[in-house]
Amino acid sequence: MKIHIKAPAKINFFLEIKNKRADEYHNLESIMQTVSLYDELSFELAKNMVSLECSDKSLSAYETNIVYKAAMAVKKHYNADKGVKIYLKKRIPIGAGLGGGSSDAASTLEALVKLWNIKTTKDELEQIAIKLGADVPFFLTGGTALCEGIGEIVTPLKSIGELNIILVNPGFGVPTADVYKKIKFPLTNQAKIHTIKDLIFNNSFNKKEAFKSCFNRFEEFVFPNYPEILEIKRVLNELCYASLMSGSGATVFSILDSGIKIEKLKSRLNRCGWKIWFVTTIDTSFHPLFSST
Ligand SMILES: C[C@@](CO)(OP(=O)(O)O)[C@H](O)COP(=O)(O)OP(=O)(O)OC[C@H]1O[C@@H](n2ccc(N)nc2=O)[C@H](O)[C@@H]1O
Ligand SMILES: Nc1ncnc2c1ncn2[C@@H]1O[C@H](COP(=O)(O)OP(=O)(O)O)[C@@H](O)[C@H]1O
């Protein structure tokens, strides 16, 4: 039996830091959204070993790869005596604020309980997920969701429909842990999540209106050290009506309205040597993304 999964990227429409915990992690309030840029994974039943091959040779295929970690976590938690041969095709850029590794990990949890025929619950998988990374539980739900705590308290929100989004990445990554370390308290003018939540609840999360309520606290801590990311934002603001950095960077995104001139946008951004993807928001992360042969 072989299982194929597409693991989607995410963007953060809203990200405010609430405070720092005693264990150095930060409580946050974020609205996360899965989008149609995917890593691809396949899982083939094997005797009892876990093995991983990854298309991106800059990533380890062993203990430091979150996919390998996720597989070992399932094996240990359920005392599973089966093995798996995993292939990971990376398409989501690494360290891009798009949650690629976290999504790969969540897909691995979902695939292995199916492949190894393990009886479990979503709650139990969420407990394994949070030990792998703060963003991993979100990807077990996907779509549009409010994430609180350090990211593990996930509340699904109403679908915002299919919005067209452009992702722009400078071609380098930003280490998440370094950005969290840069946060200085007290934060000025805590951003309010209510407006954006109300817009989603009232089916009014559309274009210009929505972008006024989007916010990312990390922008002020990332831009001073990475002027090229600020430059992406400046150029996108010229061509679209607004833009926002995703997570801890380095990707910046804009919501595209129907009047946008795609060719003009492409040629202007390509001239800067940046990578671009045209994607849409997607409702659920997994179920339609699974297939087995
Ligand atoms: C910033 C966000 C926003 O969605 O995403 P990315 O930009 O990485 O995609 C997340 O909070 C990233 O989540 P994730 O990438 O899973 O973080 P982890 O691997 O658990 O942690 C990496 C490091 O970030 C810090 N960290 C992470 C999450 C959190 N709520 N508080 C923290 O202080 C910790 O120092 C930790 O050592
Ligand atoms: N399967 C994986 N995909 C991406 N990054 C991984 C993976 N496994 C481990 N990592 C490590 O996780 C870090 C970045 O994770 P990633 O999810 O790409 O970015 P971000 O946290 O910015 O969304 C990198 O240091 C990378 O080496």
Side-chain angles (χ1 to χ4, degrees):
M1 185 187 184
K2 203 167 177 180
I3 290 175
H4 307 269
I5 291 194
K6 292 191 336 183
K10 61 83 183 164
I11 52 175
N12 304 74
F13 283 128
F14 184 94
L15 203 176
E16 178 58 297
I17 306 297
K18 306 303 284 181
N19 50 48
K20 191 173 179 176
R21 308 192 323 181
D23 65 1
E24 304 283 300
Y25 267 78
H26 295 74
N27 285 314
L28 51 81
E29 226 173 19
S30 185
I31 291 182
M32 308 235 275
Q33 171 69 55
T34 39
V35 295
S36 61
L37 169 66
Y38 305 96
D39 283 344
E40 285 172 31
L41 295 105
S42 68
F43 300 83
E44 192 173 0
L45 203 54
K47 279 237 164 84
N48 52 28
M49 291 276 290
V50 169
S51 66
L52 171 66
E53 192 191 333
C54 181
S55 64
D56 186 328
K57 300 302 173 203
S58 73
L59 283 177
S60 148
Y62 298 98
E63 283 81 1
T64 57
N65 196 304
I66 196 165
V67 168
Y68 191 90
K69 276 191 215 166
M72 294 312 283
V74 175
K75 203 166 160 54
K76 192 169 167 209
H77 189 92
Y78 297 100
N79 208 8
D81 59 0
K82 294 178 180 153
V84 62
K85 205 171 145 195
I86 308 172
Y87 180 70
L88 167 62
K89 168 101 189 146
K90 283 300 292 181
R91 293 188 202 280
I92 303 171
I94 296 166
L98 297 173
S102 307
S103 187
D104 295 345
S107 289
T108 302
L109 299 183
E110 289 263 330
L112 288 183
V113 295
K114 200 169 166 180
L115 190 76
W116 290 343
N117 213 2
I118 291 168
K119 285 217 168 12
T120 186
T121 59
K122 192 168 177 209
D123 273 4
E124 210 168 273
L125 281 189
E126 282 174 346
Q127 279 158 34
I128 303 175
I130 187 60
K131 290 188 196 135
L132 296 166
D135 269 356
V136 183
F138 161 73
F139 286 101
L140 293 174
T141 297
T144 313
L146 168 65
C147 299
E148 296 167 287
I150 64 164
E152 84 286 15
I153 306 169
V154 181
T155 311
L157 300 176
K158 247 183 170 173
S159 164
I160 57 167
E162 197 180 88
L163 294 184
N164 292 312
I165 308 271
I166 182 169
L167 305 174
V168 185
N169 180 279
F172 57 80
V174 174
T176 302
D178 291 1
V179 179
Y180 271 107
K181 278 194 201 113
K182 290 228 155 13
I183 298 173
K184 291 207 174 51
F185 293 97
L187 297 169
T188 46
N189 303 324
Q190 281 271 333
K192 303 270 185 294
I193 200 166
H194 308 294
T195 319
I196 189 166
K197 268 168 70 185
D198 290 349
L199 286 168
I200 293 171
F201 186 76
N202 297 323
N203 298 320
S204 315
F205 190 81
N206 54 8
K207 300 165 192 160
K208 289 179 190 167
E209 180 79 351
F211 239 130
K212 279 188 221 139
S213 56
C214 288
F215 175 81
N216 183 348
R217 175 62 69 181
F218 283 126
E219 288 191 337
E220 68 196 70
F221 299 107
V222 170
F223 291 161
N225 294 297
Y226 297 93
E228 195 170 349
I229 306 178
L230 177 60
E231 178 61 8
I232 296 179
K233 186 172 170 99
R234 196 189 62 73
V235 173
L236 272 179
N237 284 348
E238 244 174 47
L239 301 165
C240 309
Y241 42 78
S243 65
L244 194 74
M245 190 176 78
S246 184
S248 54
T251 307
V252 183
F253 67 92
S254 278
I255 302 176
L256 302 175
D257 66 20
S258 50
I260 198 92
K261 300 214 169 26
I262 298 288
E263 287 313 315
K264 189 177 158 202
L265 192 61
K266 264 192 198 162
S267 72
R268 175 74 176 86
L269 295 166
N270 282 336
R271 242 187 293 146
C272 299
W274 297 323
K275 296 181 180 165
I276 60 174
W277 294 265
F278 291 96
V279 298
T280 61
T281 54
I282 52 170
D283 273 2
T284 50
S285 68
F286 295 123
H287 307 290
L289 308 175
F290 247 119
S291 71
S292 19
T293 48

